[in-house]
């Protein structure tokens, strides 16, 4: 009785697939380990909506979790009976061989029987080890497509290899249409082929060693390149620093020259003004004396003082002054402006020469391998250093890529339109055919085009609804509700999450918050060889939101996670 209870799914956590620990039960009736369901809901804290991983019933706000005391006591009592739970088995996932005898959710098969032509998990294979009736059965490690091991005509196991036709056949075929052919058992043919395989394997291993040596040499060349580049950067910085100092010196000298001329002219003018003011004061004094004398009523006093007072003023020795009514250093400004234009033109011409010199610097050369029959390069390729990154939208548009959405990857609630450049999340399933690359739980879709070895740029229009814009390797998981399927939540993908009026960047489930105003258009720039993935907010200007820096090892497929209903996402057509 106890062993049957242990095998019941009600005592296994649907998340970790192990016996429940600190069991809790949600309002929809499903039970989980407290730690497992907390971890799941922690991942959706940013959305404010929490769902059951099994039935997808949503809860708002986040429910308080309480330990299911009764279920915990049942589990503890079963442990105290002394009966251990059966060995943990893994459920069959994508690419695994599933047990043919499991009902409901199937466990992963560990053995296949060539006699029964069926595969078994650890539990259902036991009769083959214990029952006498199965002793003659041939067990091998679990393999899929057992029906391919049968003869299509007689539905018998193919145990003979026809060397004449180079195909596996059954014994009935050997006695009939292949009767006069050269035939051996599949075991004997395997022995011969195994020797040939070993020779090929030895050749491949030798080639691996050769390639490893080449990788080591390339690593040394890269280290040398980095050292050389570092030295040249430092030396160039010194030269440019000296150039800047020279320009600053000229700048200082021009400012001081203007200032010195200003000071000399001001001092000279002030000297003239002082002398003029003194003469004006003397004339005013004489004018006052003359006025006083002219107003006196004493005739004798007037006549006695007239000769000494009424003397014409002496002519001053001050030069005449001609004023410049348009005082300006415009000529100086013009000369400085011409100097600036001359230096800029000269620098532009020299930069072209420097850029050509840098780009023609060979990092390594690829040549043909005369001893390698399978891999040949017919021409010599010189790999140049990277060109500068784009600085404005016009330069980014030079690398624009035309992308289309792949219907075979789209979740069933996603509706594609406008030549597979627009996607909307609806509330009804679309009539998509089953496909191994389709996301069956998360509302995601990928593009057809794999991007690698070059620079690519594309732009996305999206509404205020929640959407995740990213790229991923093709090997991202597609089936089930695990976070390994989500863009940015694993080591195979990178994404920018647009939620309401905020942004965040994610890779391998590491989140980086971004402070920036929401933009209706997002630009994505991928420099595969440089290992950079950048996201920009597009309005009147381009605003860098986030840049990932890494090393890409496989082609990248752009993709989207639509987190809101009726919020379309469009891949823009760039000209």
């Amino acid at each position: 009785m106890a062993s049957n209870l242990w095998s019941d799914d009600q005592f296994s956590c649907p998340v970790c697939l192990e016996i429940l620990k600190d069991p809790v039960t949600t309002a929809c009736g499903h039970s989980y380990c407290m730690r497992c369901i907390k971890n799941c809901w922690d991942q959706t804290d940013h959305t404010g909506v929490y769902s059951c991983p099994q039935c997808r019933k949503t809860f708002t706000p986040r429910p308080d979790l309480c330990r299911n005391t009764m279920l915990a006591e049942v589990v503890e009592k079963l442990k105290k009976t002394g009966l251990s739970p059966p060995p943990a088995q893994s459920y069959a996932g994508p690419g695994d061989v599933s047990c043919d005898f499991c009902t409901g959710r199937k466990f992963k098969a560990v053995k296949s029987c060539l006699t029964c032509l069926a595969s078994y998990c650890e539990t259902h294979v036991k009769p083959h080890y214990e029952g006498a009736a199965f002793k003659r059965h041939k067990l091998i490690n679990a393999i899929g497509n057992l029906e391919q091991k049968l003869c299509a005509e007689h539905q018998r196991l193919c145990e003979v290899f026809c060397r004449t036709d180079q195909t596996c056949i059954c014994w009935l075929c050997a006695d009939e249409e292949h009767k006069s052919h050269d035939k051996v058992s599949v075991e004997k043919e395997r022995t011969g082929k195994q020797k040939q395989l070993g020779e090929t394997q030895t050749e491949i291993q030798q080639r691996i060693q050769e390639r490893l040596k080449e990788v080591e040499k390339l690593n040394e060349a890269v280290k040398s390149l980095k050292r050389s580049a570092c030295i040249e950067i430092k030396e160039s910085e010194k030269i440019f620093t000296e150039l800047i100092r020279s320009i600053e010196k000229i700048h200082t000298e021009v400012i001081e020259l203007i200032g010195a001329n200003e000071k000399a002219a001001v001092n000279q003018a002030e000297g003239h003004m002082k002398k003029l003011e003194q003469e004006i004061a003397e004339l005013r004094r004489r004018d006052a004396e003359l006025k006083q004398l002219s107003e006196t009523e004493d005739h004798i006093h007037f006549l006695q003082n007239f000769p000494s007072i009424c003397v014409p003023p002496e002519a001053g020795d001050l030069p005449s002054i001609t004023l410049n009514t348009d005082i300006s250093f415009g000529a100086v400004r013009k000369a400085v402006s011409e100097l600036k234009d001359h230096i800029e033109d000269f620098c532009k011409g020299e930069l072209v020469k420097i850029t050509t010199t840098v780009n023609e610097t060979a990092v390594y050369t690829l040549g043909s391998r005369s001893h390698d029959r399978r891999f040949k390069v017919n021409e010599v390729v010189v790999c140049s250093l990277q060109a500068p990154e784009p600085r404005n939208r016009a330069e980014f548009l030079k690398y624009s890529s035309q992308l289309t959405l792949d219907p075979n990857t789209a979740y069933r609630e996603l509706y594609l339109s406008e030549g597979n450049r627009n996607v909307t999340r609806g509330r009804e399933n679309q009539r998509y055919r089953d496909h191994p690359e389709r996301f069956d739980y998360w509302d995601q879709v990928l593009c057809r085009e794999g991007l690698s070895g070059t620079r690519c740029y594309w732009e996305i229009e999206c509404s205020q609804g929640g959407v995740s814009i990213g790229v991923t390797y093709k090997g991202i998981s597609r089936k089930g509700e695990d976070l390994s399927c989500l863009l940015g939540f694993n080591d195979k993908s990178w994404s920018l999450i647009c939620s309401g009026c905020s942004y965040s960047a994610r890779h391998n489930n590491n989140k980086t918050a971004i402070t920036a105003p929401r933009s209706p258009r997002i630009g994505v720039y991928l420099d595969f060889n440089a290992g950079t993935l950048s996201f920009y907010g597009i309005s009147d200007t381009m605003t860098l939101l986030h840049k990932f820096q890494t090393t890409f090892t496989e082609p990248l497929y752009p993709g989207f996670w639509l987190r809101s209903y009726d919020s379309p996402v469009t891949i823009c057509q760039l000209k």
Side-chain angles (χ1 to χ4, degrees):
M1 178 73 177
S3 61
N4 290 336
L5 285 173
W6 280 119
S7 62
D8 198 315
D9 282 346
Q10 65 180 314
F11 296 104
S12 298
C13 173
V15 176
C16 66
L17 306 180
E18 296 180 358
I19 302 303
L20 289 165
K21 298 175 184 177
D22 293 329
V24 295
T25 303
T26 59
C28 55
H30 295 109
S31 299
Y32 303 90
C33 299
M34 182 176 288
R35 184 180 65 180
C36 293
I37 190 64
K38 278 186 174 181
N39 288 341
C40 285
W41 285 354
D42 286 346
Q43 304 300 326
T44 56
D45 269 341
H46 61 282
T47 65
V49 179
Y50 307 90
S51 62
C52 171
Q54 283 192 276
C55 66
R56 300 185 71 178
K57 180 178 177 62
T58 58
F59 310 99
T60 305
R62 179 170 177 165
D64 294 328
L65 296 173
C66 298
R67 192 168 183 262
N68 188 326
T69 307
M70 180 180 295
L71 187 55
E73 290 177 353
V74 172
V75 173
E76 289 300 319
K77 285 181 180 179
L78 288 173
K79 290 180 179 178
K80 291 178 181 179
T81 61
L83 295 174
S84 301
Q89 297 192 75
S90 301
Y91 286 110
D96 293 332
V97 179
S98 58
C99 176
D100 292 320
F101 277 74
C102 286
T103 57
R105 191 174 181 184
K106 295 180 178 292
F107 284 111
K108 180 180 178 180
V110 294
K111 294 290 181 181
S112 295
C113 178
L114 295 180
T115 306
C116 301
L117 293 176
S119 299
Y120 305 93
C121 64
E122 290 181 354
T123 300
H124 291 117
V125 79
K126 287 181 179 179
H128 276 73
Y129 295 128
E130 300 169 356
F134 297 101
K135 286 185 178 180
R136 294 181 180 273
H137 288 207
K138 188 172 182 179
L139 290 176
I140 61 173
N141 290 331
I143 58 174
N145 302 320
L146 282 172
E147 64 276 3
Q148 294 181 2
K149 310 298 184 292
L150 294 178
C151 171
E153 182 177 353
H154 303 106
Q155 293 300 304
R156 293 194 174 214
L157 186 64
C158 294
E159 300 179 273
V160 181
F161 184 79
C162 177
R163 289 178 172 173
T164 304
D165 294 335
Q166 291 292 302
T167 185
C168 295
I169 58 176
C170 69
W171 285 109
L172 289 177
C173 292
D175 291 338
E176 295 175 1
E177 61 264 30
H178 296 267
K179 186 175 183 179
S180 60
H181 293 180
D182 181 13
K183 303 179 293 292
V184 293
S185 66
V186 291
E187 289 84 357
K188 184 175 181 180
E189 183 65 19
R190 164 69 186 272
T191 302
K193 298 290 187 186
Q194 187 74 33
K195 181 179 179 181
Q196 183 180 348
L197 185 146
E199 293 173 352
T200 303
Q201 189 176 13
T202 300
E203 181 183 350
I204 290 175
Q205 290 173 351
Q206 290 175 350
R207 189 171 299 158
I208 290 173
Q209 295 302 317
E210 293 174 359
R211 300 302 184 266
L212 287 174
K213 290 179 180 179
E214 291 179 0
V215 168
E216 185 177 353
K217 291 179 181 179
L218 278 173
N219 281 330
E220 290 300 321
V222 168
K223 291 178 182 178
S224 175
L225 170 67
K226 289 182 177 180
R227 288 193 297 267
S228 176
C230 183
I231 292 171
E232 292 305 319
I233 289 173
K234 289 181 179 179
E235 292 300 320
S236 296
E237 286 179 347
K238 289 181 182 179
I239 295 171
F240 277 107
T241 300
E242 292 174 1
L243 177 60
I244 292 170
R245 286 175 181 170
S246 298
I247 294 175
E248 288 177 344
K249 183 179 179 181
I250 295 173
H251 169 233
T252 302
E253 290 177 354
V254 171
I255 298 301
E256 289 176 350
L257 178 62
I258 295 174
N261 277 270
E262 174 197 12
K263 185 176 180 180
V266 169
N267 288 339
Q268 186 178 9
E270 288 177 346
H272 282 292
M273 284 190 291
K274 186 175 181 180
K275 291 180 179 180
L276 289 171
E277 288 171 353
Q278 290 174 350
E279 184 174 345
I280 291 170
E282 178 62 24
L283 291 173
R284 283 176 175 171
R285 185 187 64 78
R286 292 284 305 278
D287 181 63
E289 290 179 350
L290 292 172
K291 181 179 180 183
Q292 185 180 3
L293 183 63
S294 68
E295 293 176 351
T296 183
E297 294 180 358
D298 186 345
H299 303 307
I300 297 172
H301 175 75
F302 178 87
L303 294 172
Q304 288 176 341
N305 289 281
F306 178 81
S308 61
I309 293 176
C310 195
V311 177
E314 296 179 358
D317 58 355
L318 294 175
S320 63
I321 299 173
T322 302
L323 299 178
N324 182 2
T325 58
D326 187 22
I327 300 174
S328 173
F329 286 93
V332 178
R333 182 168 62 250
K334 181 180 179 182
V336 173
S337 179
E338 289 176 352
L339 174 62
K340 178 185 79 73
D341 293 340
H342 178 72
I343 291 176
E344 286 182 348
D345 292 341
F346 177 78
C347 289
K348 287 178 182 178
E350 292 303 309
L351 181 60
V352 172
K353 296 179 183 178
I354 294 171
T355 303
T356 303
T357 303
V358 172
N359 287 339
E360 289 179 352
T361 302
V363 180
Y364 59 87
T365 302
L366 300 180
S368 62
R369 304 178 188 273
S370 58
H371 62 282
D372 195 331
R373 298 187 304 272
R374 299 182 185 179
F375 306 98
K376 289 186 177 181
V377 180
N378 294 323
E379 70 275 2
V380 175
V381 181
V382 178
C383 298
S384 301
L385 300 179
Q386 288 287 334
E389 276 200 357
R391 293 167 294 181
N392 51 54
R393 188 166 179 266
E395 293 184 5
F396 279 102
L397 290 176
K398 294 177 182 178
Y399 303 101
S400 60
S401 301
Q402 300 301 320
L403 303 177
T404 54
L405 300 170
D406 186 356
N408 291 331
T409 66
Y411 179 67
R412 295 189 181 277
E413 288 183 358
L414 300 182
Y415 171 71
L416 307 186
S417 60
E418 297 182 18
N420 291 340
R421 290 186 299 102
N422 178 281
V423 56
T424 306
R425 179 183 174 187
R427 301 178 186 274
E428 296 180 1
N429 287 344
Q430 304 299 314
R431 295 181 179 179
Y432 294 134
R433 294 181 297 177
D434 290 336
H435 198 281
E437 293 184 2
R438 189 177 309 288
F439 293 97
D440 66 358
Y441 184 87
W442 298 105
D443 304 81
Q444 297 187 138
V445 61
L446 302 183
C447 290
R448 295 179 184 272
E449 296 78 9
L451 310 176
S452 65
T454 184
R455 293 179 171 188
C456 303
Y457 177 76
W458 62 99
E459 292 182 356
I460 308 300
E461 284 186 351
C462 50
S463 63
Q464 291 296 316
V467 62
S468 179
I469 302 169
V471 297
T472 179
Y473 294 148
K474 194 170 186 177
I476 190 173
S477 299
R478 315 294 178 100
K479 308 301 179 184
E481 60 195 63
D482 192 83
L483 294 179
S484 62
C485 302
L486 270 178
L487 290 172
F489 285 76
N490 48 71
D491 61 355
K492 293 182 174 62
S493 60
W494 297 258
S495 70
L496 177 75
I497 298 177
C498 311
S499 179
C501 295
S502 64
Y503 295 104
S504 62
R506 278 188 183 268
H507 170 60
N508 206 14
N509 206 15
N510 292 321
K511 178 181 177 182
T512 302
I514 300 170
T515 302
R518 183 69 184 268
S519 174
R521 180 175 286 209
I522 300 296
V524 188
Y525 173 67
L526 169 66
D527 189 338
F528 188 94
N529 293 332
T532 60
L533 175 68
S534 306
F535 295 89
Y536 293 85
I538 308 296
S539 55
D540 294 335
T541 59
M542 294 184 66
T543 302
L544 177 62
L545 302 175
H546 188 77
K547 175 186 285 189
F548 290 102
Q549 182 70 58
T550 184
T551 300
F552 298 119
T553 58
E554 301 175 28
L556 293 165
Y557 291 80
F560 310 94
W561 172 27
L562 279 73
R563 303 164 62 203
S564 304
Y565 289 102
D566 303 320
S567 296
V569 173
T570 302
I571 302 173
C572 303
Q573 284 189 316
L574 303 177
K575 296 182 180 179

